[in-house]
Amino acid sequence: LDSLSLCLTSLKEQTTCTMAGKSAAQIRRSVARAAARGETYTPPEPTPKGTDTENATKETSGESEEAIQTKSAAAQKLEQALVTLESNPDDLNAKERRSAKRKAEAIATEESGISDVTELMEWYKRHQKAANKGKKKKGSKLAIALEKLSTEDKQKLTTAKTLHDSLAKLEKDEEINAKERRSAKRKAEAIASEETGGATPAELLEWYEKLVPPTKSNEKGKKIPYILFVGQLSYSTTSDMLYDHFHTTLGKVDKKDVITKDNIKIRLLADTKTKKSRGMAFVELESPETMYECLKLHLTYIDGRRINVERSAGGGGATKKAKLSTFRESQTAYISKTMDHMLADFIKGGEITADELDEGVIGLCKRHSATVVEAALKEFIEEKKERRLKKETLGAKEEEEFRNPSAFLTHMIGRMAEEGIGNSSRGRRSKEEDGESSGRGGRGRGGGPGRG
């Protein structure tokens, strides 16, 4: 009876622990033989159940590296297949999913040499922990976040990261046009929403950024771009030509270039098939101050075309249209106000009189760049001084006085806008005196006696 009791006790112990150096069958035989002799067999002390890491170390200690890698690869492949089937991107029905799952499990057992799928996945988890033992818990923020989540939230986090990375990649892709970018963005958002059970893209991204906040280096380097839209460009205008126009026209402020290669990014929109320019561009700037300086180039000329430079607006549908409308109204009001102040300053300084210019030319000033109008007004005033001095000192004819100042300034604004600020009337007259006058005359339309 004592031997039988001891045998039963040994059998119970065999179900809870592993005996050192002997299998369960060997222990049972030893107990039976001892009982037949009237002796008592004392089983060896059981080895306490170790941690997953210790068990995994023991399990793999006698295996070759190649065998371990084969099992790991099979388990990892199965895990990925099960996650994919769970998200069901191919819209399979329940029967098809079960069939695909059984097929994936059969492949995993065949490749790994382990007949039980549950046993394989448990081994894989222990092996992963053992592989990470001793390493610093530094890892990526995504890996750290994954360790703390449930299986469902892990899948959600993976989907959120995919959406986050896809949107970032689309923003940087210069090969696609705006319509294609919007379409790809909507598709990525729809997939993410479906995979997460109807979560909105905004909620998903917000949740992702809470779990995986940007690193300090990224926060430091991340700058909010201020974006301008440039329209009415010539199809022959290149990004370099547009940069030179911005850089040269805006010049320097406090001995520093307003526009440099470091503070501007130009994205010329091109047709996806022909790769030719579509006559439009987006300009990204680092600061609002630089953006408002660049707005001065609205209605300036480049490559024979008068361009539009306006603030861009994000969003979609009615929201975007409303923003654009507000920006344009604000920009128009700003230009009008700027011109009123500019003309008031010239009148206050006595350089022009209040009734010297008619409403037509004042309206024209408000439809051109402030830079061009200011340069034209200064040259207009210099021309007036020269003509007055010429009449007083040399006794020139009365016709040398401006008979139609508004017409003269109108022509000057148009010429400067089209040909550039550096082409002054005095420079053109000097060419005329040297016999190089063009068919339009040194002073141009409205510039000669009786017409100016």
Side-chain angles (χ1 to χ4, degrees), residues 44 361 416:
V361 72
M416 278 193 172

Side-chain angles (χ1 to χ4, degrees), residues 260-324:
T260 66
K261 292 284 187 181
D262 295 329
N263 68 1
I264 188 172
K265 179 183 177 183
I266 297 173
R267 179 158 54 91
L268 200 64
L269 303 186
D271 186 272
T272 52
K273 295 181 180 178
T274 64
K275 304 300 180 184
K276 291 182 179 180
S277 170
R278 296 170 55 206
M280 296 177 284
F282 285 105
V283 177
E284 292 184 11
L285 303 147
E286 292 184 349
S287 68
E289 293 80 12
T290 309
M291 180 186 72
Y292 282 108
E293 284 293 318
C294 290
L295 285 172
K296 293 179 181 179
L297 299 178
H298 183 54
L299 303 177
T300 56
Y301 276 77
I302 173 176
D303 203 12
R305 299 289 296 271
R306 189 167 77 162
I307 61 174
N308 295 327
V309 181
E310 302 172 324
R311 288 182 65 183
S312 178
T319 303
K320 184 174 182 178
K321 289 181 180 178
K323 283 184 180 180
L324 286 173

Side-chain angles (χ1 to χ4, degrees), residues 317-436:
T319 303
K320 184 174 182 178
K321 289 181 180 178
K323 283 184 180 180
L324 286 173
S325 178
T326 302
F327 287 159
R328 284 169 181 163
E329 289 175 6
S330 175
Q331 187 169 345
T332 301
Y334 173 77
I335 291 172
S336 178
K337 190 175 180 180
T338 300
M339 291 304 167
D340 289 339
H341 283 307
M342 187 185 297
L343 291 170
D345 288 341
F346 281 114
I347 292 172
K348 187 177 179 180
E351 294 167 308
I352 59 176
T353 59
D355 57 350
E356 190 170 1
L357 303 175
D358 61 30
E359 291 298 322
V361 72
I362 292 175
L364 179 68
C365 289
K366 295 180 179 182
R367 295 195 298 274
H368 277 270
S369 154
T371 309
V372 168
V373 174
E374 185 178 19
L377 281 169
K378 287 180 178 178
E379 189 165 325
F380 169 78
I381 292 164
E382 287 298 317
E383 187 71 20
K384 275 186 19 175
K385 290 179 181 177
E386 277 195 13
R387 292 194 179 199
R388 189 179 298 115
L389 181 64
K390 193 172 181 181
K391 180 179 180 181
E392 291 174 356
T393 58
L394 302 177
K397 294 181 180 180
E398 183 183 351
E399 283 80 0
E400 285 296 329
E401 288 279 11
F402 283 123
R403 289 191 175 184
N404 192 341
S406 295
F408 186 86
L409 182 59
T410 297
H411 165 67
M412 191 171 290
I413 290 172
R415 176 175 58 77
M416 278 193 172
E418 186 173 356
E419 299 178 4
I421 294 173
N423 298 314
S424 68
S425 60
R426 287 188 293 278
R428 294 168 68 92
R429 282 204 305 275
S430 65
K431 288 184 179 180
E432 185 183 78
E433 291 169 1
D434 292 336
E436 299 178 5

